[in-house]
Amino acid sequence: MEPICRKYLELRYRLLPYLYSAVHECATTGMPIMRALWLHFPDDPKAVECGDQYLWGSNVLVAPVIEKGATTRRVYLPRGTWYDFWTHERVEGGREISRPVDLETIPLYVREGSILPLGPVKQFSGEIVREATFCFDLSRF
């Protein structure tokens, strides 16, 4: 369990720049950080009825695994192109897919065209790290 917890704690710190952007948007526009799919896809009936996934900010789709012992997760990807955060696989949306999962992999998808700023791994948010921040670069895939 420790390596799995470490993986997600490190991911949290790496995603802080993205989170700061989402918090800024929330403070200036009132748009929530966690968003039901219908907020961005109101004309998509499947997105409107989808209650077990959400957007984190406007660009990261999160599909929590809610079934004990699951080996796959049905994920609805709204229209457009999405990239699996872990494998960088390009997937066309507007459909439901089956994503293999295990205890250490929560399905995360990044919307094509997104700028997903990532920071360095830290031990605490105030730690000064001389590493440069980089982005999830979809042009490499």
Side-chain angles (χ1 to χ4, degrees):
M1 286 300 294
E2 186 177 330
I4 296 168
C5 291
R6 181 180 316 280
K7 172 183 175 177
Y8 284 97
L9 286 170
E10 290 177 354
L11 179 61
R12 174 192 180 269
Y13 284 107
R14 291 192 63 218
L15 286 170
L16 279 177
Y18 178 72
L19 179 59
Y20 292 155
S21 297
V23 169
H24 175 67
E25 180 185 18
C26 178
T28 57
T29 69
M31 187 65 80
I33 297 166
M34 282 180 67
R35 306 169 186 183
L37 297 183
W38 57 260
L39 193 59
H40 286 274
F41 304 96
D43 59 339
D44 182 339
K46 291 281 285 182
V48 170
E49 72 182 39
C50 191
D52 62 350
Q53 298 175 196
Y54 60 92
L55 289 170
W56 193 51
S58 59
N59 298 315
V60 178
L61 185 137
V62 181
V65 178
I66 55 176
E67 191 177 306
K68 183 178 181 178
T71 56
T72 61
R73 167 67 156 93
R74 300 294 297 169
V75 178
Y76 178 71
L77 297 172
R79 71 182 174 275
T81 303
W82 297 84
Y83 288 85
D84 185 303
F85 181 84
W86 306 109
T87 67
H88 305 144
E89 175 188 4
R90 183 177 195 254
V91 183
E92 287 303 318
R95 64 191 176 106
E96 191 173 74
I97 62 168
S98 182
R99 168 67 161 86
V101 296
D102 55 24
L103 188 57
E104 63 179 286
T105 306
I106 183 173
L108 299 175
Y109 288 86
V110 180
R111 191 191 310 235
E112 182 177 56
S114 302
I115 295 175
L116 187 63
L118 300 174
V121 173
K122 297 180 174 190
Q123 296 302 306
F124 56 94
S125 61
E127 180 182 14
I128 297 173
V129 179
R130 301 288 180 221
E131 235 178 86
T133 299
F134 58 95
C135 295
F136 185 84
D137 183 3
L138 299 177
S139 66
R140 298 181 311 167
F141 310 106

